[in-house]
């Protein structure tokens, strides 16, 4: 078998930080009187901070206001994140990442739209498992553009045909698909139905399961 790569989204796939992004946006939305709930939040998942704000507001304020509101949301998010520990790692994530880390024919990367991704990785001491990491400070376009995933694959020295992406966001599933990659949706089947496979969490998959998916999709 040729060398294969796994690319992991961070928030909502590896760590339970998607919850903290939601709480940060909710706190901000309540303060400015903007309607916001978990259904609306689904559309924000995977987007950059700025694009999330614009989607939440439904209009584009001036740049000064955008910066101010983004900064406020990030302050709330960082307050939540300052208290996280390894208990916030999602079911099966550490097991799969450790299995891939030990496997001879596998490499793995972290690919997150978040500018705080490295802070989260450091806090949990899990950066050491990844052969590469790309975050929101290194990309110009936000998901569903494939830029982030293409960068991650290239840092692993692999092509789109040889990687699988794990995503909890609709925008992320689309990004991986438009980059020509296999994608496993992690979460709700109704939201992630465009993925090649949908699982509840990473405890439902291991290397053997991923290799089976590559074979089924004619990419072995
Ligand atoms: C993504 C999250 O990983 O990162 C989004 O799914 C978040 O909810 C985005 O808005 C940007 O994060 P940050 O930390 O740069 O504000
Ligand atoms: Mg996510």
């Amino acid at each position: 078998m040729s060398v294969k790569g796994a690319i992991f989204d961070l928030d909502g796939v590896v760590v339970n930080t998607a919850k903290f992004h939601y709480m940060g946006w909710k706190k901000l939305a309540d303060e400015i009187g903007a309607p916001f709930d978990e259904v609306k939040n689904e559309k924000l998942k995977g987007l950059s901070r700025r694009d999330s704000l614009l989607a939440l507001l439904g209009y584009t304020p001036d740049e000064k206001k955008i910066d101010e509101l983004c900064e406020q949301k990030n302050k709330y998010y960082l307050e939540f994140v300052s208290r996280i520990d390894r208990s916030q790692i999602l079911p099966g994530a550490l097991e799969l990442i450790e299995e891939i880390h030990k496997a001879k024919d596998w490499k793995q990367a972290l690919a997150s739209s978040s500018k705080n991704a490295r802070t989260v990785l450091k806090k949990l001491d899990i950066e050491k498992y990844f052969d590469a990491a790309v975050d929101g400070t290194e990309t110009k376009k936000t998901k569903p553009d494939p830029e982030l995933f293409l960068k991650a694959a290239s840092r692993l020295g692999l092509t789109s045909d040889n990687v699988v992406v794990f995503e909890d966001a609709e925008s992320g599933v689309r990004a991986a698909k438009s980059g020509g990659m296999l994608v496993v949706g992690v979460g709700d089947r109704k939201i992630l139905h465009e993925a090649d496979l949908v699982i509840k969490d990473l405890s439902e998959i291991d290397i053997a399961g991923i290799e089976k998916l590559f074979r089924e999709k004619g990419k072995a």
Side-chain angles (χ1 to χ4, degrees), residues 143-164:
K143 296 171 189 174
D145 189 279
E147 182 188 10
L148 188 72
F149 293 138
L150 291 172
K151 224 173 203 168
S154 127
R155 284 204 188 153
L156 293 177
L158 298 172
T159 61
S160 295
D161 266 347
N162 290 310
V163 299
V164 60

Side-chain angles (χ1 to χ4, degrees), residues 31-48:
E31 268 169 23
I32 60 176
F36 188 62
D37 58 19
E38 300 220 26
V39 175
K40 207 166 174 190
N41 185 58
E42 276 309 318
K43 300 280 174 206
L44 269 57
K45 284 185 181 172
L47 305 188
S48 68

Side-chain angles (χ1 to χ4, degrees), residues 6 8 96-97 100-101 106-110 129-132 156:
F8 293 89
L96 180 60
I97 287 164
I100 294 176
H101 184 59
W106 279 85
K107 289 182 175 185
Q108 59 190 341
L110 202 283
Y129 296 115
F130 295 96
D131 302 291
L156 293 177

Side-chain angles (χ1 to χ4, degrees), residues 28-73:
L28 182 80
D30 287 351
E31 268 169 23
I32 60 176
F36 188 62
D37 58 19
E38 300 220 26
V39 175
K40 207 166 174 190
N41 185 58
E42 276 309 318
K43 300 280 174 206
L44 269 57
K45 284 185 181 172
L47 305 188
S48 68
R49 195 180 307 161
R50 188 180 194 280
D51 284 13
S52 298
L53 175 73
L54 300 188
L56 185 155
L57 294 174
Y59 64 92
T60 308
D62 62 50
E63 286 304 317
K64 190 166 160 273
K65 192 74 189 165
I66 293 177
D67 287 350
E68 187 191 302
L69 294 174
C70 279
E71 209 173 294
Q72 191 59 29
K73 184 270 173 175

Side-chain angles (χ1 to χ4, degrees), residues 91-93 96 166 184-187 189 197-207 209-210:
L96 180 60
F166 291 92
V184 176
V186 183
R189 191 175 303 276
L197 172 73
V198 180
I199 55 178
K200 185 170 57 60
D201 59 45
L202 294 177
S203 69
E204 291 183 9
I205 201 152
D206 56 9
I207 289 183
I210 306 173

Side-chain angles (χ1 to χ4, degrees), residues 95-165:
E95 291 79 354
L96 180 60
I97 287 164
E98 279 176 343
E99 187 191 5
I100 294 176
H101 184 59
K102 286 187 204 135
K104 176 163 74 35
D105 292 333
W106 279 85
K107 289 182 175 185
Q108 59 190 341
L110 202 283
S112 170
S113 306
S114 173
K115 293 188 164 87
N116 296 302
R118 283 199 159 77
T119 305
V120 173
L121 289 176
K122 282 208 179 76
K123 254 192 116 34
L124 303 176
D125 192 29
I126 56 172
E127 201 169 6
K128 60 190 176 198
Y129 296 115
F130 295 96
D131 302 291
V134 189
D135 67 21
T137 64
E138 302 173 82
T139 48
K140 289 194 185 67
K141 298 177 198 142
T142 192
K143 296 171 189 174
D145 189 279
E147 182 188 10
L148 188 72
F149 293 138
L150 291 172
K151 224 173 203 168
S154 127
R155 284 204 188 153
L156 293 177
L158 298 172
T159 61
S160 295
D161 266 347
N162 290 310
V163 299
V164 60
V165 172

Side-chain angles (χ1 to χ4, degrees), residues 1-5 104-106 158 161-162 211 214 219-220:
M1 193 189 88
S2 56
V3 172
K4 295 273 190 284
K104 176 163 74 35
D105 292 333
W106 279 85
L158 298 172
D161 266 347
N162 290 310
E211 286 175 347
F214 270 99
K219 287 188 163 196

